[in-house]
Amino acid sequence: KILIIGAGGQIGSELTFKLRTIYGDQNVIASDISYRNETIVNSGIFEIVDAQDYASIKICVEKYNIDTIYLMAAMLSATGEKYPMKAWDLNMSTLFNVLNLARAKFIKKVFWPSSIAVFGPTTPVNYTPQYTVMEPTTVYGITKQVGERWCEYYFNKYDVDVRSLRYPGIISWKTLPGGGTTDYAVEIYHEAIKNNQYECFLKEDTELPMMFMDDAIKATVDIMQAPHTAIKIRSSYNLSAISFTPKAVANSIKKHLPEFKISYKPDYRQEIANSWPKNINDSYARQDWKWKHKFNLDEITEEMLTQLSKTYKP
Ligand code: VAH
């Protein structure tokens, strides 16, 4: 049985639906710290779990005989800069609780997301390699960098089967993201449908690694279903699909909405974006467990505008 922690979040919610399709509704328990995502709460088995409390997770693991946990709860880069100690406490205590449950053999397998935020301004920005200088300048990035070290440590020392991906920015329409620097790439589509204009909080030429949610979910399922021996990296795999700038997204949108207007008003998130790579070399993921992405920018735009126009203009 599978437990998803943070099932109410941007990735957690879509992962919940996907895993229910694959493993059956009765074998996937969605959990979150609150009832914030009604769709998730009302669509299957749901439990309130405070992942910062070891006992809270353990009770749920025992109640449902859980053997796999997807830990999708974290405070992201932009919010983390507003509440540094809260981001550190939340991101690290939840990881330790899940790793320690696995170490104590209460569960067998763990998925934990890392991020391109582990890279910093001294990291090579183009085709960023799997192994390179990593001096993250955000609290979120620091938690992901040190989290990767702990995942590898628990694998080597305690034989914990933990698997991880360095997600790029993720674009989806079902659930809004919360507190990320790449969130502009989601907001822009909502604003295009609602107002045919968008004021972007990053400069027009800010190139960042991005991925459509369906690709991110596929990569997550693929790495978790890969044979134990195929997973040769136990810190976290670089994962890549496409990279684009706000200007490129605007031009892609204009192919559908010729009157769409974009303006730029960079804020504190520009500095965060400037510290991250432009694009990522994910050759190890492609080699070790046959990863390959599917969606390009125009396909993402097509899907986002089609789905969101149903939401806003049913
Ligand atoms: C963020 N969406 O912006 C997350 C992600 C690579 C970006 O980690 O913080």
Side-chain angles (χ1 to χ4, degrees), residues 62 85 121 125 142 158 167 171 185 214 230 239 273 285 287 296 309 312:
E62 289 171 338
M85 284 301 104
V125 292
I142 293 166
Y158 312 122
Y167 287 133
I171 299 164
D214 294 24
L239 187 75
Q287 167 192 310
N296 65 32
S309 51
Y312 288 113

Side-chain angles (χ1 to χ4, degrees), residues 23-271:
Y23 298 103
D25 291 0
Q26 295 313 307
N27 297 315
V28 177
I29 287 72
S31 78
D32 206 280
I33 187 72
S34 75
Y35 295 104
R36 60 182 168 146
N37 187 323
E38 280 181 22
T39 311
I40 286 294
V41 173
N42 300 324
S43 63
I45 306 173
F46 178 85
E47 292 278 353
I48 293 285
V49 167
D50 174 359
Q52 289 194 265
D53 171 10
Y54 182 87
S56 175
I57 310 174
K58 187 163 175 284
I59 288 164
C60 190
V61 164
E62 289 171 338
K63 179 176 177 182
Y64 292 97
N65 196 17
I66 301 290
D67 58 37
T68 303
I69 291 183
Y70 290 74
L71 172 51
M72 308 309 287
M75 189 181 288
L76 299 184
S77 61
T79 311
E81 291 309 293
K82 290 180 187 164
Y83 309 103
M85 284 301 104
K86 180 89 189 88
W88 174 262
D89 289 345
L90 173 65
N91 294 6
M92 298 317 299
S93 63
T94 51
L95 177 59
F96 280 123
N97 285 337
V98 173
L99 289 176
N100 285 327
L101 277 164
R103 176 185 175 186
K105 305 296 177 208
F106 290 113
I107 55 172
K108 291 199 186 75
K109 218 169 176 183
V110 175
F111 177 79
W112 175 77
S114 183
S115 161
I116 59 156
V118 291
F119 301 118
T122 55
T123 305
V125 292
N126 284 308
Y127 213 40
T128 302
Q130 175 71 40
Y131 301 105
T132 183
V133 175
M134 298 160 69
E135 296 176 322
T137 52
T138 62
V139 173
Y140 172 72
I142 293 166
T143 68
K144 291 304 181 183
Q145 181 183 31
V146 72
E148 290 187 6
R149 303 271 54 82
W150 278 111
C151 288
E152 192 180 64
Y153 185 88
Y154 269 68
F155 173 74
N156 289 326
K157 270 276 193 321
Y158 312 122
D159 200 25
V160 166
D161 185 1
V162 52
R163 305 176 187 204
S164 180
L165 298 171
R166 289 171 182 162
Y167 287 133
I170 295 178
I171 299 164
S172 65
W173 53 272
K174 293 195 187 88
T175 304
L176 277 171
T181 300
T182 58
D183 295 358
Y184 89 86
V186 176
E187 289 173 5
I188 191 169
Y189 291 107
H190 288 262
E191 292 307 309
I193 295 289
K194 286 193 293 187
N195 307 313
N196 213 9
Q197 65 178 13
Y198 178 58
E199 183 178 85
C200 184
F201 57 74
L202 296 182
K203 286 193 298 206
E204 69 173 11
D205 61 351
T206 308
E207 184 182 351
L208 288 171
M210 295 281 186
M211 180 178 283
F212 192 51
M213 177 63 80
D214 294 24
D215 273 337
I217 298 298
K218 178 170 181 353
T220 308
V221 171
D222 286 358
I223 192 172
M224 288 296 273
Q225 290 185 335
H228 194 282
T229 49
I231 309 301
K232 302 197 174 45
I233 294 175
R234 292 292 180 160
S235 49
S236 189
Y237 276 90
N238 276 8
L239 187 75
S240 175
I242 57 176
S243 285
F244 56 67
T245 63
K247 187 176 170 66
V249 186
N251 290 338
S252 179
I253 290 172
K254 283 177 190 165
K255 292 176 187 171
H256 300 261
L257 303 167
E259 303 305 308
F260 174 69
K261 292 273 178 294
I262 184 165
S263 58
Y264 300 95
K265 194 175 176 210
D267 67 12
Y268 72 103
R269 288 168 285 193
Q270 185 63 49
E271 191 187 339

